[in-house]
Amino acid sequence: MRSKHLLVGNWKMNLGPRQGSSYARQLRESITNLARTDVWVAPPFASLPIVATELKGSLLSVGAQNVHWAESGAFTGETAPSFLTELEATFALTGHSERRTYFGETSDQVAQRTAGAIAAGLEVIACVGETESERNEGRMEKVLEGQLNPVLAKLTQETAKSVIIAYEPVWAIGTGRVASLDDIRGAHQFIQRVWTSFNLPGSAVILYGGSVNPSNFADILALKEVHGALVGGASIKLEQWLDLVKIAEATPV
Ligand code: PGA
């Protein structure tokens, strides 16, 4: 369990260095007091250095949208965990559904990426989630288990605390169709059971992601199974992002 809510903005392939740095400056100037919430942002790689510089000394943390497992080598287009820590990034996402769907990343690779990043001292938000047809066919639990098992199998009693799970049903990402509170509760409870089956210490920290916005966030965060949110679209619109921060701050942990 974390002592605060966790609100993570996934900028995806938006806000290049110029726009990203000016947005980061606005965030730094607008978010000057946080009592109940940790606010993290994941810019695209090209913007990471300038955003990290802009947010240095602020209340926000910066991370990457993906990470490789190796320290260096012939992996064109990839980013080593130590490159991220050198930039003072503190976390990375792994296994986002867009990586799985468009770039063919497998759950085994996601597990490797997760383990490599943790070994380098990063926290990792490992993303899982079923497609609409998998849900309709009653295969949600099987799919989530298939995505979680390789990741959890690589954790130790010590490294487990560096992993956060993001439950993001694919059909809710970027569609405006948020999952129902019952769907979210059920999936988070299931993920918690899988975590427990690995005899890992404590309980899993689980974020919900998929069309989170200021009109649905308060109800979602009020669920005791939900420890925060991973947000795409609403994280790159200043007003909406600040509203989400406000809602998190107003919600008891
Ligand atoms: P969305 O994206 O908030 O735009 O649905 C969430 C995500 O992909 O992490």
Side-chain angles (χ1 to χ4, degrees):
M1 274 296 287
R2 300 177 63 87
S3 56
K4 293 182 179 180
H5 304 300
L6 177 54
L7 187 57
V8 185
N10 172 13
W11 294 2
K12 308 194 180 186
M13 200 172 74
N14 299 292
L15 305 181
R18 208 171 301 138
Q19 282 183 303
S21 67
S22 92
Y23 187 60
R25 191 168 328 116
Q26 293 178 73
L27 293 180
R28 190 191 63 213
E29 286 164 3
S30 310
I31 301 174
T32 53
N33 188 21
L34 290 172
R36 289 174 165 163
T37 317
D38 288 325
V39 180
W40 298 1
V41 294
F45 282 122
S47 306
L48 223 160
I50 198 160
V51 169
T53 302
E54 202 58 70
L55 293 180
K56 212 177 161 75
S58 76
L59 297 177
L60 290 88
S61 298
V62 184
Q65 296 173 15
N66 204 359
V67 59
H68 198 264
W69 53 84
E71 272 313 298
S72 62
F75 299 105
T76 301
E78 291 286 338
T79 305
S82 63
F83 302 170
L84 299 179
T85 53
E86 204 176 305
L87 292 172
E88 298 186 25
T90 59
F91 75 96
L93 308 183
T94 59
H96 189 280
S97 85
E98 286 146 21
R99 297 302 316 169
R100 296 175 190 266
T101 306
Y102 304 136
F103 304 99
E105 287 189 15
T106 65
S107 295
D108 285 332
Q109 290 168 345
V110 173
Q112 271 185 286
R113 289 179 188 278
T114 304
I118 292 173
L122 293 162
E123 290 195 78
V124 174
I125 301 173
C127 307
V128 298
E130 80 288 357
T131 64
E132 183 155 42
S133 59
E134 288 163 345
R135 171 171 280 266
N136 292 343
E137 289 159 12
R139 295 195 288 124
M140 179 194 83
E141 295 192 351
K142 271 264 144 316
V143 169
L144 294 182
E145 224 172 358
Q147 295 172 341
L148 287 165
N149 284 350
V151 173
L152 301 186
K154 282 192 185 294
L155 298 180
T156 65
Q157 298 290 309
E158 289 75 43
T159 60
K161 63 177 183 319
S162 299
V163 170
I164 292 152
I165 307 295
Y167 170 62
E168 299 203 301
V170 177
W171 44 275
I173 296 177
T175 58
R177 277 177 61 204
V178 67
S180 73
L181 297 178
D182 279 345
D183 288 346
I184 297 171
R185 186 187 292 113
H188 283 222
Q189 286 171 345
F190 177 73
I191 291 167
Q192 205 59 261
R193 285 203 295 280
V194 178
W195 178 276
T196 305
S197 73
F198 277 82
N199 292 320
L200 295 168
S203 52
V205 174
I206 312 173
L207 312 180
Y208 168 77
S211 296
V212 169
N213 64 41
S215 58
N216 57 36
F217 186 42
D219 289 341
I220 294 171
L221 193 61
L223 295 174
K224 70 175 187 325
E225 293 82 2
V226 174
H227 306 120
L230 178 56
V231 184
S235 75
I236 55 172
K237 298 180 193 102
L238 182 66
E239 210 172 305
Q240 292 197 22
W241 184 241
L242 296 180
D243 279 351
L244 294 177
V245 174
K246 238 182 258 160
I247 291 165
E249 284 290 280
T251 306
V253 183

